[in-house]
Amino acid sequence: MSKQPELPALKIEIIEQWSHEELVRLVLTQQKLIEKLQQELEQLKEKQPSNSKTSSKPPSSDLIQKSETAKVDNSKESESQPKRKPGGQPGDIGKTRKGFGRVDR
């Protein structure tokens, strides 16, 4: 971003002593600064990518972007937690049905 000219902090006592020409010059300087900042703001708004989170677009319009971020997230999870195999896990006590004392038939 371009460097803005620094304006001194103005106090009302100082401003009241200024002449009409100095006040007009101050207003014009501030007007130019405001216009420059508005142009910068418009440029930043144009550069910002718009997707379903930053605009009113439906989520279906940014499927490609979501799939790329999902791949990155899955890799982080697999590194931090190892996948468990299905079935009884090591160290688990487990529960089973007790068998019958005797079989009738």
Side-chain angles (χ1 to χ4, degrees):
M1 290 188 201
S2 61
K3 186 174 181 177
Q4 304 297 332
E6 293 185 22
L7 297 175
L10 302 173
K11 295 186 178 182
I12 195 159
E13 297 87 18
I14 298 172
I15 294 175
E16 287 175 346
Q17 297 173 0
W18 286 6
S19 68
H20 178 73
E21 291 176 6
E22 290 174 325
L23 291 173
V24 169
R25 195 174 316 128
L26 174 68
V27 170
L28 292 176
T29 305
Q30 290 178 344
Q31 179 75 24
K32 288 179 185 177
L33 182 62
I34 289 171
E35 289 173 1
K36 187 181 277 188
L37 290 173
Q38 285 176 336
Q39 289 175 353
E40 245 181 77
L41 179 64
E42 290 300 320
Q43 289 174 353
L44 290 173
K45 282 184 180 179
E46 289 174 4
K47 287 181 183 178
Q48 180 183 19
S50 57
N51 56 24
S52 63
K53 292 182 180 179
T54 59
S55 69
S56 61
K57 291 174 64 176
S60 61
S61 65
D62 55 5
L63 283 175
I64 296 172
Q65 188 175 13
K66 284 187 178 179
S67 66
E68 291 174 357
T69 57
K71 290 178 183 176
V72 173
D73 292 339
N74 287 342
S75 64
K76 289 179 183 176
E77 288 178 10
S78 64
E79 292 172 6
S80 62
Q81 296 178 350
K83 281 191 168 183
R84 290 200 245 169
K85 295 179 183 176
Q89 300 299 312
D92 187 26
I93 298 171
K95 297 179 183 178
T96 57
R97 248 174 73 179
K98 294 184 179 179
F100 298 106
R102 65 182 183 114
V103 178
D104 291 344
R105 296 182 190 176

